[in-house]
Amino acid sequence: MPVQIVTHEYRPFRGGIAYYAEELARASAAGGVETEVWAPGYGACGWERTGCLAINRVKMRGRQDWWSRMRMRAALRRERGNGLGTVVLVEPGPIRLWMGAWGAGLPQAQRLVVVLHGTELRQLSRGWQRRRFGELLERAAVVGVVSTAVEELLRQRYPELSTPVRRVPGAVRAAWASLEPESRPRSDGRLRLLQVGRISPRKGQDLTVEAVAMLDAATRERIEVVCVGPVGKGDYFRGLRKRVEADRLPIRFVGEVADEDLVGWYRWADLALFPSRPSGESMEGLGLAALEASHFGLPVIATRLGGIPEAVLDGRTGRLVVPEPAALAAAVADCLADPGPYGGFGEAGAAYVREAFSWTRNAAILGLIPA
């Protein structure tokens, strides 16, 4: 049965769901299944084909709004009006589209798969949306969740759900699978810290800034912090930069970088920070950047939130702390004072990621390719 993955986030957009959609599609196509991705064009339009993988760039913006959903609906009706195979909804935009699809003339799917990252359950939790979301989940052949934390939230929202629920966490992108981890720690006495993620409140760069400001001057002289990721809208980044400049903190924001340059930053660092924190309806379903850091042999200091404890094993692949600057500062200071255990965290993390996370396994669990 052919597979159609529908998403409103896809490359060149950089983000966890965009990577998830792309890697799941590649795993499906690598299994010999004709796989299509229906994704925003971001200015482009038309089909891109490589082997069993085809990407249809729809003339739409990569948003969840009504206009984008109607563009996607029109493209599906125009080109697949005679029906669809296995439809995989991996992102809130197409989930909203299918929720309203009962009489909207969308092509009939032979099989429906829904993948949840957590935020959808919080966004669609009231009134008619909650009811329609529940009806959609009941129609699915399988519901995938990226962590047990997301499954727990799903069970709270829909305790009577009869559809099978399967755990399908993300993994390191396939192009990096063969890259070996670095040997750490280094012997120069300095600590290079790396934080990867969109510059936004949920990713907790403000916790990093406040934590570094809490360190004494002698400790700050021994560390260097680099934050990699695209800058979002609003005053959040301006506030971060103003605080860093005012207090002369050893923190750099280098913006969004290409994948090959990101590999270089992972190899440069001694320690990864993943201080995600609560932010509105948004939820950290797992934490792909934490998995990537472990893949390259980095110990990780992260917050105990959402699905992060499944990406970072406390006391084994890193340290988990409460989402507060003082706790983050104490963990960094501890690593400087006694770096020995952190080297073991990096080695264990690299082995854990390679053993426990697989895009091919995810595709098989969801029934996209033979098990």
Side-chain angles (χ1 to χ4, degrees):
M1 188 183 300
V3 169
Q4 285 94 19
I5 296 176
V6 187
T7 178
H8 288 197
E9 291 187 15
Y10 203 71
R11 61 172 172 85
F13 181 85
R14 309 290 289 276
I17 290 179
Y19 287 127
Y20 195 104
E22 181 175 6
E23 294 295 343
L24 191 63
R26 290 183 181 279
S28 175
V33 177
E34 291 295 329
T35 304
E36 298 174 352
V37 178
W38 294 69
Y42 303 110
C45 190
W47 288 93
E48 307 168 7
R49 297 182 184 272
T50 305
C52 290
L53 179 60
I55 304 168
N56 187 15
R57 295 290 185 177
V58 180
K59 190 177 181 181
M60 57 175 279
R61 300 168 291 184
R63 300 179 183 176
Q64 298 180 29
D65 59 24
W66 179 89
W67 178 254
S68 295
R69 295 198 299 274
M70 291 305 100
R71 285 280 189 175
M72 182 65 77
R73 171 180 174 268
L76 287 164
R77 291 182 63 182
R78 181 175 61 252
E79 300 195 42
R80 292 294 178 268
N82 60 344
L84 299 163
T86 295
V87 172
V88 187
L89 310 180
V90 296
E91 190 265 336
I95 286 174
R96 291 175 184 271
L97 174 59
W98 252 260
M99 281 170 52
W102 311 110
L106 274 170
Q108 184 67 36
Q110 297 181 55
R111 185 171 180 269
L112 185 65
V113 174
V114 180
V115 178
L116 302 178
H117 302 264
T119 298
E120 315 90 332
L121 290 160
R122 293 180 172 177
Q123 291 177 338
L124 305 172
S125 62
R126 299 179 182 86
W128 72 269
Q129 287 186 327
R130 179 169 180 166
R131 293 192 299 273
R132 297 294 283 272
F133 192 17
E135 292 170 353
L136 175 67
L137 296 175
E138 287 289 352
R139 288 181 60 204
V142 62
V143 174
V145 293
V146 299
S147 65
T148 54
V150 176
E151 181 174 3
E152 289 171 0
L153 182 58
L154 172 65
R155 299 296 187 186
Q156 291 172 11
R157 293 281 193 268
Y158 301 99
E160 304 300 324
L161 181 66
S162 61
T163 304
V165 178
R166 301 287 183 263
R167 183 173 173 268
V168 283
V172 173
R173 58 199 83 181
W176 293 356
S178 62
L179 300 180
E180 294 297 321
E182 291 282 296
S183 297
R184 297 181 177 86
R186 299 180 177 92
S187 59
D188 61 2
R190 295 186 59 78
L191 188 64
R192 302 167 183 84
L193 299 97
L194 178 69
Q195 182 170 351
V196 176
R198 181 172 297 277
I199 309 299
S200 67
R202 192 186 83 183
K203 296 302 182 181
Q205 288 87 2
D206 55 334
L207 296 185
T208 298
V209 169
E210 293 299 324
V212 172
M214 288 181 174
L215 298 172
D216 59 62
T219 301
R220 289 204 300 266
E221 288 181 356
R222 295 177 59 195
I223 68 171
E224 183 178 359
V225 184
V226 170
C227 295
V228 177
V231 177
K233 297 180 181 179
D235 296 330
Y236 180 71
F237 176 62
R238 287 191 290 272
L240 295 174
R241 188 169 57 184
K242 183 177 180 180
R243 179 66 187 277
V244 168
E245 293 173 352
D247 290 354
R248 298 183 179 181
L249 302 178
I251 300 175
R252 284 190 289 153
F253 297 93
V254 299
E256 187 173 8
V257 301
D259 285 354
E260 56 269 24
D261 295 325
L262 182 54
V263 171
W265 282 115
Y266 280 127
R267 296 200 182 284
W268 165 86
D270 301 305
L271 178 72
L273 301 177
F274 198 78
S276 183
R277 65 174 179 80
S279 179
E281 295 176 332
S282 185
M283 176 179 176
E284 198 68 70
L286 183 70
L288 288 180
L291 295 184
E292 292 175 354
S294 289
H295 176 80
F296 287 103
L298 285 171
V300 183
I301 297 176
T303 45
R304 191 184 301 275
L305 192 74
I308 295 174
E310 293 176 47
V312 180
L313 304 182
D314 191 26
R316 179 180 164 193
T317 70
R319 286 275 305 277
L320 294 178
V321 300
V322 296
E324 297 176 358
L328 190 62
V332 171
D334 178 66
C335 181
L336 271 171
D338 185 15
Y342 285 82
F345 292 164
E347 294 175 6
Y352 172 61
V353 169
R354 285 163 171 77
E355 175 185 349
F357 300 90
S358 165
W359 292 111
T360 300
R361 191 181 306 141
N362 286 352
I365 290 172
L366 294 174
L368 310 187
I369 61 176

